[in-house]
């Protein structure tokens, strides 16, 4: 019986998403299909082509969609996907449904943006995000993840997996309000309540109020990643037949990772090293854990992750 998996990675034309897709080509069970997706089709097709042409790995069995075909190994398929666009998400879902006989084994929600000022994630740093930037981050990071889940839930089988790429920025120590922490970690939290919390953050911004004076983190990126991590716990509680986890890939040498320091310091991890935890949770030994946040002991650590109290 084949153990081949169908796996979809969002935001995979560069950075950690690209590293995840590249790692999956050699670490997925033989016969698997990896869907590399991106908002920009030109960049996405270029990324997919570069993976096929790699001199190392399993390139003889990686093909873009149905252009070349292929038997055995792992097949690479590119498809355009904008997680901020419900119509685009629905088109992607229908495509996978048709290609995979109504099933998607693994969904990796990686697409994300960080539009806070560079270096705004450090302790004691305070940067009130602009409303437009905050709305963009929440739309992609939180609602994009939520809407991908809603669309693909009917396709994910029992024991199927969902990996939500979060961040160390989600840590609850970034909240100064004990009541907010209590709400976001409550076992009774559900999606409507979580969404209401996220919208309350935007309500403060729209009123010209600095949300950090009401206990929120100093930057919006942290808010979105805390929401994604809380969403993961909710989904795992509501769907115990699936393995649903979130993780921090660490401080990775990407465009986003370089912005985090604000001092021009180069992040210590390659994209392949940053892909280790997400890929483990997608196709490796997840220890039958669901609803957890995984990370290494430090953001520079190049290990394969462990369950952490976020």
């Amino acid at each position: 019986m084949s153990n081949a998996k169908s796996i979809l990675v969002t935001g995979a034309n560069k950075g950690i998403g690209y590293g995840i897709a590249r790692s999956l080509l050699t670490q997925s069970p033989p016969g698997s299909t990896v869907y590399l997706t991106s908002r920009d089709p030109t960049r996405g097709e270029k990324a997919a082509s570069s993976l096929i042409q790699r001199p190392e790995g399993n390139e003889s069995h990686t093909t873009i969609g149905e252009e070349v075909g292929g038997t055995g190994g792992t097949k690479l398929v590119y498809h355009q996907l904008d997680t901020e666009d419900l119509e685009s998400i629905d088109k992607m879902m229908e495509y996978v449904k048709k290609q995979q006989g109504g099933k998607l084994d693994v969904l990796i929600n990686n697409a994300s943006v960080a539009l806070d000022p560079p270096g705004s994630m450090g302790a004691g740093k305070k940067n009130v995000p602009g409303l437009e930037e905050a709305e963009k981050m929440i739309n992609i990071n939180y609602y994009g993840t939520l809407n991908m889940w809603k669309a693909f839930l009917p396709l994910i089988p029992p024991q199927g997996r969902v990996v939500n790429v979060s961040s160390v920025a989600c840590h609850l120590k970034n909240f100064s309000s004990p009541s907010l922490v209590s709400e976001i970690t409550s076992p009774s939290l559900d999606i409507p309540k979580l969404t209401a919390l996220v919208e309350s953050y935007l309500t403060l911004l729209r009123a010209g109020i600095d949300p950090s004076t009401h206990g929120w983190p100093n930057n919006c990126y942290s808010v979105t990643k805390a929401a994604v991590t809380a969403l993961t716990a909710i989904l795992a509680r509501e769907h115990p037949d699936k393995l649903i986890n979130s993780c921090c890939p660490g401080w990775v040498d990407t465009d986003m990772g370089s912005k985090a320091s604000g001092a021009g310091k180069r992040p210590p991890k390659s994209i392949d090293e940053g892909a280790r935890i997400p890929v483990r949770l997608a196709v490796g030994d997840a220890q039958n854990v669901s609803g957890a946040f995984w990370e290494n002991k430090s953001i520079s650590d190049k290990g394969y992750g462990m369950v952490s109290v976020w």
Side-chain angles (χ1 to χ4, degrees):
M1 186 179 206
S2 174
N3 290 319
K5 304 295 182 184
S6 51
I7 309 162
L8 189 154
V9 189
T10 68
N13 66 285
K14 65 176 184 177
I16 295 169
Y18 180 85
I20 291 171
R22 181 160 69 185
S23 297
L24 286 169
L25 291 181
T26 57
Q27 296 181 42
S28 300
S32 294
T33 300
V34 175
Y35 292 92
L36 184 158
T37 72
S38 69
R39 182 183 59 181
D40 185 316
T42 301
R43 293 178 180 177
E45 289 169 1
K46 183 177 179 180
S49 295
S50 72
L51 290 178
I52 292 170
Q53 295 166 4
R54 292 179 71 227
E56 68 271 26
N58 203 23
E59 70 279 1
S60 63
H61 294 300
T62 56
T63 61
I64 296 181
E66 298 177 272
E67 293 181 9
V68 183
T71 58
T74 297
K75 181 178 179 180
L76 182 67
V77 178
Y78 173 72
H79 197 285
Q80 191 274 340
L81 171 63
D82 181 354
T83 61
E84 202 177 5
D85 183 339
L86 290 175
E87 184 178 352
S88 179
I89 291 174
D90 187 59
K91 285 181 179 179
M92 184 76 236
M93 184 276 294
E94 291 293 343
Y95 178 79
V96 172
K97 182 179 180 180
K98 181 178 179 180
Q99 294 293 316
Q100 296 296 323
K103 185 179 75 166
L104 178 69
D105 295 296
V106 183
L107 171 62
I108 304 177
N109 287 310
N110 167 75
S112 182
V113 293
L115 303 175
D116 290 298
S120 64
M121 296 179 200
K125 296 181 180 179
K126 192 170 185 178
N127 291 277
V128 181
L131 178 58
E132 183 178 348
E133 290 78 11
E135 288 178 333
K136 186 78 170 178
M137 282 186 275
I138 287 171
N139 283 343
I140 295 175
N141 301 2
Y142 174 63
Y143 283 115
T145 300
L146 175 59
N147 289 330
M148 283 293 294
W149 162 258
K150 287 181 177 179
F152 282 89
L153 170 60
L155 275 61
I156 301 173
Q159 296 307 303
R161 300 189 185 192
V162 177
V163 182
N164 294 326
V165 179
S166 184
S167 167
V168 67
C170 81
H171 282 182
L172 296 170
K173 66 182 181 181
N174 295 317
F175 290 78
S176 61
S177 167
S179 63
L180 271 177
V181 170
S182 178
E183 285 185 84
I184 205 167
T185 58
S186 172
S188 65
L189 185 68
D190 57 20
I191 292 174
K193 290 176 183 176
L194 175 59
T195 299
L197 278 174
V198 172
E199 287 297 325
S200 73
Y201 172 86
L202 284 175
T203 296
L204 291 171
L205 280 178
R206 290 173 181 138
I209 299 171
D210 176 0
S212 69
T213 63
H214 287 247
W216 290 95
N218 290 332
N219 63 85
C220 184
Y221 184 74
S222 290
V223 173
T224 67
K225 290 305 183 179
V228 166
T229 306
L231 174 64
T232 303
I234 293 170
L235 298 180
R237 287 196 297 270
E238 294 180 348
H239 301 273
D241 62 325
K242 309 181 197 312
L243 295 183
I244 306 170
N245 290 284
S246 62
C247 65
C248 171
W251 191 17
V252 182
D253 191 8
T254 63
D255 292 343
M256 189 182 296
S258 297
K259 290 179 182 178
S261 67
K265 184 178 179 181
R266 188 168 183 173
K269 298 177 66 172
S270 70
I271 58 172
D272 293 306
E273 291 164 343
R276 285 176 177 170
I277 302 177
V279 170
R280 173 188 177 175
L281 296 176
V283 297
D285 179 14
Q287 301 176 351
N288 206 35
V289 170
S290 188
F293 173 68
W294 295 66
E295 62 182 342
N296 288 318
K297 290 182 179 180
S298 77
I299 56 175
S300 300
D301 191 316
K302 298 177 181 180
Y304 292 81
M306 64 186 75
V307 175
S308 178
V309 178
W310 60 290

